[in-house]
Amino acid sequence: MAAQPPKIEPTLLESLATKGTTTLIVQFSPGTSGVLQALESRTFETREERLNAVNSDLRAHAAQYQATVVEFLENKKKEDGGAELSWESKWINNSLIIKNADLTIVNALANFEEIREIHENRVVAHILDEL
């Protein structure tokens, strides 16, 4: 097996070898700190105005940095004839949740410069049962 790019979490590859597909969390670079710092320097007359600016600026930032990856996913879904592949933007931290991704998709995503890291969305079940 060829060496994988460091942005792919090793346990993700193990999970894909077992399950075939999984749900990914794809983190983009840059993160949101630059947007939030720019907002700090602005003044707002009301709290609502500030919240609206945070919302719109973070959404615009995510749309900008996620655009080429979303386009890739849309094309991949069309090629596969409406396969189960789906995704959702998490603009609050500039990430994508991608469901039903396989190794081919993970390897393709690793080639995008704007992607910082790719890892599996792990579900932690029954935490409260242990308390």
Side-chain angles (χ1 to χ4, degrees), residues 40-86:
E40 292 274 331
S41 65
R42 293 170 47 192
T43 55
F44 302 93
E45 291 189 25
T46 66
R47 181 176 187 274
E48 181 179 4
E49 188 179 294
R50 180 177 182 75
L51 292 174
N52 288 336
V54 169
N55 183 306
S56 65
D57 288 6
L58 288 175
R59 285 179 186 270
H61 178 77
Q64 176 185 352
Y65 287 97
Q66 296 175 15
T68 56
V69 173
V70 168
E71 182 179 359
F72 162 77
L73 293 170
E74 289 170 347
N75 290 334
K76 185 70 176 157
K77 187 167 182 162
K78 286 177 191 172
E79 288 172 13
D80 292 346
E84 297 296 318
L85 183 66
S86 64

